[in-house]
């Protein structure tokens, strides 16, 4: 599933190519024909992102709400614009660029009030200037849940998925099973700072890169795919060479390094050990 950096990048590119002028809207697939007809000819005032949700506001007051889900894609087609290929739910275009949306979990038209309701259910977005960091910190300090579960909870921190979760906790040296309320103020500050830093890199590059160029001897843009991550889906820790292990936390597996992220008393202090199912070493 695309993580928050992808959606913020989409919003930025949509604004650069379509915002401020009337757009043509169509549904080549036909499943969004009524919605496309409502948007056709309207001016896109701007696209905005919050976590994994994309919102496109039009001059009619209507808001296009998109959640890509597991397989959704929003691809740009440059002039000369080709005919749609595949099951394109929605095409937004002007003379220079077309954006084809396919396979989204959500694609609907909502009101500004409904948009506010969705926003109210989402946690702090590290890529938004109005992120309520204090609220996120408060939720951590009052929760006994594993930090690996809380980081993935979109009502606490919006936009983090499984890849960033594993890499962020690795970089901060935090065992994923530690209770969230066991983090010190300094540890939370480091976790938030790293989240902002890495998502900004991802938004700029269009891919997740968490490793230090100095460790790889290559710039981020020249790193090979196997060089971009420290722990996620790896068998061996890229930093120390220890075997990577896997836990199931928050309903999803998380890869971590037992040497770089020592357990200390994490498992003993966790409020519900039954929720932690050790799946063994990666491989």
């Amino acid at each position: 599933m695309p993580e928050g950096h992808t959606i913020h990048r989409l919003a930025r590119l949509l604004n650069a190519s379509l915002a401020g002028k009337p757009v043509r809207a169509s549904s080549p697939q036909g499943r969004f024909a009524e919605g496309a007809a409502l948007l056709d000819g309207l001016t896109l005032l701007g696209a905005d992102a919050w976590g994994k949700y994309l919102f496109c506001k039009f001059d009619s007051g209507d808001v296009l709400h998109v959640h890509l889900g597991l397989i959704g894609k929003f691809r740009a087609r440059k002039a000369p614009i080709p005919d749609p290929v595949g099951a394109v739910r929605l095409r937004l275009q002007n003379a220079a660029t077309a954006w084809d949306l396919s396979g989204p979990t959500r694609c609907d038209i909502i009101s500004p009030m409904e948009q506010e309701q969705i926003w109210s259910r989402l946690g702090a977005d590290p890529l938004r200037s109005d992120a309520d960091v204090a609220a996120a910190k408060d939720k951590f300090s009052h929760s006994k849940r594993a930090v690996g579960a809380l980081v993935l909870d979109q009502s606490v921190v919006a936009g983090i998925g499984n890849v960033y979760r594993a890499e962020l906790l690795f970089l901060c040296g935090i065992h994923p099973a530690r209770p969230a309320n066991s983090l010190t103020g300094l540890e939370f500050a480091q976790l938030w700072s790293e989240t902002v830093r890495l998502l900004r890199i991802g938004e700029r590059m269009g891919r997740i890169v968490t490793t230090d160029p100095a460790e790889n001897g290559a710039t981020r843009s020249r790193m090979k795919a196997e060089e971009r991550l420290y722990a996620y889906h790896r068998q061996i820790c890229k930093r120390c060479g220890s075997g990577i292990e896997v836990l199931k936390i928050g309903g999803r597996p998380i890869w971590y390094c037992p040497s770089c992220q020592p357990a200390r008393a994490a498992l003993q202090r966790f409020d519900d050990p039954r929720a932690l199912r050790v799946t063994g070493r990666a491989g």
Side-chain angles (χ1 to χ4, degrees), residues 31-174:
R31 289 184 58 185
F32 193 61
E34 292 184 9
L38 289 175
L39 300 179
D40 191 37
L42 299 179
T43 296
L44 175 63
L45 299 181
D48 197 7
W50 193 312
K52 300 179 182 182
Y53 294 81
L54 178 69
F55 303 91
C56 299
K57 186 175 181 179
F58 291 84
D59 59 348
S60 63
D62 293 313
V63 178
L64 174 67
H65 167 222
V66 173
H67 191 292
L68 293 179
L70 288 173
I71 63 171
K73 302 289 184 183
F74 217 160
R75 298 184 177 93
R77 312 294 189 191
K78 298 295 184 180
I81 297 170
D83 291 335
V85 176
V88 176
R89 185 83 54 88
L90 172 66
R91 168 173 278 195
L92 297 175
Q93 70 180 95
N94 56 23
T97 308
W99 283 88
D100 287 349
L101 174 65
S102 60
T105 296
R106 293 289 302 272
C107 174
D108 49 12
I109 296 177
I110 61 176
S111 68
M113 181 177 296
E114 290 171 308
Q115 177 181 338
E116 290 289 340
Q117 291 172 347
I118 294 171
W119 282 6
S120 70
R121 298 193 296 267
L122 296 173
D125 182 333
L127 288 179
R128 291 184 64 90
S129 60
D130 59 356
D132 192 344
V133 186
K137 183 178 181 181
D138 185 66
K139 290 176 181 178
F140 270 73
S141 65
H142 287 89
S143 177
K144 295 181 181 180
R145 295 169 62 197
V147 65
L150 221 61
V151 168
L152 209 58
D153 187 335
Q154 300 302 299
S155 69
V156 179
V157 182
I160 302 301
N162 218 25
V163 182
Y164 274 124
R165 172 177 72 154
E167 295 296 296
L168 285 165
L169 294 182
F170 172 86
L171 285 167
C172 294
I174 298 172

